[in-house]
Amino acid sequence: DWTMEDFSENAIASIRQRVGSAKVIGAVSGGVDSTVAAVLTSRAIGNQFEAVLVDNGLLRKDEASQVIHRLRDTCGVQLRYVDAASRFLQLLQGVVDPEEKRKVIGKTFVEVFEKEAKSSDASFLLQGTLYPDVIESSSHLGPSVTIKTHHNVGGLPEKMNLKLLEPLRDLFKDEVRELGTLLGIPEESIYRHPFPGPGLAIRIIGQVDEQRLEILRHADSIYIEELKRANLYRCISQAFAVLLPVKAVGVMGDSRSYEDVIALRAVETVDYMTARWYSIPSSVLERVSSRIVNEVNGVNRVVYDITSKPPATIEWE
Ligand code: XMP
């Protein structure tokens, strides 16, 4: 029988022993896995570890600055911030196909990260791989059908010539949360809903641009704020807003409006392979809807997604 204290001490000792005086680099997203891996490694080897946050311009409202603050100031992790937003947005111009979006974003991420890794003279790459990721990627159950290409599974290319450091590979998600809490990581990171690597690009159906990102960021932040206020955030596995590529007619005072539509998604799931749509109380939905149409310029209609997975996926793209 082991405790999380034992695990933490052993993990820190084994990182120290394996790394010696070498340097370690690792990408962080602000999610629980990469954050716990980063904090654990920084406890083990201090500034021999450098975390890299690649800002692809597709993050949620204030997300980059919150992640920077949390990691640097609260958790004492050495962090390099790379603002690559304009590069990503430029490459996404004219791209509307979901898989094409993933491809462009994944490829660009690798290019940006590779350059940072080279300039750091690191010999180890830290990854927040968990036990279920290990199982899933070694599964031999039936033919593998690609529904969506997930770029955060499988990691960065071998040609980077870095040795892999995966201190969480024996843990399940709830154990990672326990370890994170033990390490003093703030709750916002520990219980953050999963966020896809391609970010808001796959929640803006159709063309992605700065203006549509702004609309979605604002609507999504209102939605999440109201879920937290109603104490629902922790009951829901994943919730987010989606910006649709259709316009709807509405009335605004005496005149007609013709504006964007926001869809709200909320699901309950254990493994994200199947999921049930979550029934948010109508009083909360009503507050979210009226705040979005009143506060977000260019949106006059809000709809609620009542589809489970399967047949729908959790994301719309
Ligand atoms: P779906 O939409 O396939 O999503 O039901 C299942 C879970 O995976 C996340 N997701 C992704 N994560 N890159 C990621 O890192 C991706 O391209 C991607 N697509 C979906 C989704 O948010 C959900 O948690």
Side-chain angles (χ1 to χ4, degrees), residues 98-99 102 147-153 193-199 202-203 237-238 240 265 267 269 271-275 309 312-317:
E99 279 303 290
R102 282 192 173 77
I147 312 255
K148 297 175 187 187
T149 327
H150 286 206
H151 287 291
N152 67 344
V153 187
H193 290 174
F195 186 65
I202 57 166
R203 293 177 180 174
S237 310
Q238 196 172 4
F240 52 88
R265 183 79 162 133
V267 297
T269 176
D271 58 8
Y272 295 85
M273 307 287 281
T274 63
K309 174 184 180 176
T313 53
I314 296 173
E315 304 287 347
W316 278 45
E317 288 199 329

Side-chain angles (χ1 to χ4, degrees), residues 176-197:
V176 174
R177 293 204 167 104
E178 192 188 333
L179 175 60
T181 306
L182 181 73
L183 293 169
I185 296 169
E187 285 215 336
E188 297 89 76
S189 292
I190 301 283
Y191 292 101
R192 192 182 82 152
H193 290 174
F195 186 65

Side-chain angles (χ1 to χ4, degrees), residues 2 39 46 80 104 127 137 151 202 247 251 260 265 282 305:
W2 55 278
V39 173
R80 190 192 299 204
V104 168
Q127 292 207 307
S137 56
H151 287 291
I202 57 166
K247 297 216 183 273
V251 281
D260 287 323
R265 183 79 162 133
S282 55
D305 184 345

